[in-house]
Amino acid sequence: SACLLSFTAVPSLWAQPTKEEVRNDMQRVANWQISNYVGRRSDLNWENGVCLLGISKWAAFAEQEDNDMSYYEWLLALGEKHSWNVKNRRYHADDVVIGQCWMQLYDRFKREEMIAPAKKRADWVIANYPKTKLVLTPGDSTSQFRWSWCDALFMAPNLYVELYNRT
């Protein structure tokens, strides 16, 4: 019971951050991510896709709260650099997560080319449904055709649902 008491007492020692402190921290993180964004991996790689999705959410906030378009401008330049493509493995969930960022930009700017490659990929996957088992087997790349690992459920389904809702 002493342990439980100590855990319940600890939060009262911490000050609740203010809305402005949280906002400033979010901006600091977004700025750090952008200034330290280097091409160690493809811009379209899943790690960058997840990061860019977060920055796209911040871009919407920065525009709404501060009329700051700089985050959108950075993302637009990156999307245009890659012609709004997703990565190349047709079935692999990791390779379409970048499409979630492009979808956020499409929602803001309503440019069809932003989602056309992701839609083309989704249409292809639907027309060529994988016939592999739902088992992830190390060393067998075809076992990744079906989304049998937990983070795959973040990577692709959200994009496909959003494409369905908009097209």
Side-chain angles (χ1 to χ4, degrees), residues 46-78:
W46 74 266
E47 294 97 334
N48 291 331
V50 171
C51 174
L52 297 175
L53 176 58
I55 293 173
S56 71
K57 301 281 189 174
W58 172 255
F61 180 85
E63 179 189 22
Q64 179 182 345
E65 295 295 315
D66 302 325
N67 201 29
D68 181 355
M69 292 295 289
S70 64
Y71 300 98
Y72 273 137
E73 291 164 1
W74 186 80
L75 290 167
L76 288 167
L78 198 59

Side-chain angles (χ1 to χ4, degrees), residues 29 37 47 57 61 65 72 86 92 102 117 130 147 149 163 165 167:
V29 169
Y37 191 83
E47 294 97 334
K57 301 281 189 174
F61 180 85
E65 295 295 315
Y72 273 137
V86 294
H92 204 295
W102 304 155
W147 305 330
W149 64 103
L163 283 166
N165 287 336
T167 60

Side-chain angles (χ1 to χ4, degrees), residues 22-60:
V22 171
R23 184 210 169 287
N24 290 341
D25 284 346
M26 290 169 60
Q27 183 176 31
R28 186 176 47 81
V29 169
N31 290 342
W32 186 92
Q33 290 289 348
I34 290 170
S35 65
N36 290 279
Y37 191 83
V38 293
R40 291 180 295 175
R41 295 183 178 264
S42 164
D43 289 333
L44 305 179
N45 198 42
W46 74 266
E47 294 97 334
N48 291 331
V50 171
C51 174
L52 297 175
L53 176 58
I55 293 173
S56 71
K57 301 281 189 174
W58 172 255

Side-chain angles (χ1 to χ4, degrees), residues 26-143:
M26 290 169 60
Q27 183 176 31
R28 186 176 47 81
V29 169
N31 290 342
W32 186 92
Q33 290 289 348
I34 290 170
S35 65
N36 290 279
Y37 191 83
V38 293
R40 291 180 295 175
R41 295 183 178 264
S42 164
D43 289 333
L44 305 179
N45 198 42
W46 74 266
E47 294 97 334
N48 291 331
V50 171
C51 174
L52 297 175
L53 176 58
I55 293 173
S56 71
K57 301 281 189 174
W58 172 255
F61 180 85
E63 179 189 22
Q64 179 182 345
E65 295 295 315
D66 302 325
N67 201 29
D68 181 355
M69 292 295 289
S70 64
Y71 300 98
Y72 273 137
E73 291 164 1
W74 186 80
L75 290 167
L76 288 167
L78 198 59
E80 289 166 358
K81 173 184 169 184
H82 292 286
S83 302
W84 308 104
N85 280 307
V86 294
K87 209 159 176 227
N88 56 354
R89 294 175 293 180
R90 292 196 179 244
Y91 290 114
H92 204 295
D94 291 357
D95 285 4
V96 296
V97 70
I98 189 66
Q100 292 187 53
C101 175
W102 304 155
M103 181 64 72
Q104 295 293 316
L105 295 173
Y106 169 79
D107 285 345
R108 170 59 181 83
F109 297 99
K110 304 297 186 211
R111 292 173 29 200
E112 290 293 325
E113 70 268 17
M114 293 173 162
I115 60 170
K119 184 179 181 318
K120 183 177 179 182
R121 171 70 55 83
D123 290 343
W124 187 91
V125 169
I126 291 167
N128 298 277
Y129 189 79
K131 299 186 178 18
T132 58
K133 293 181 180 180
L134 187 58
V135 175
L136 185 60
T137 306
D140 178 6
S141 64
T142 64
S143 74

Side-chain angles (χ1 to χ4, degrees), residues 138-158:
D140 178 6
S141 64
T142 64
S143 74
Q144 295 179 339
F145 289 0
R146 302 276 303 275
W147 305 330
S148 57
W149 64 103
C150 64
D151 59 334
L153 298 177
F154 170 80
M155 301 297 181
N158 293 335

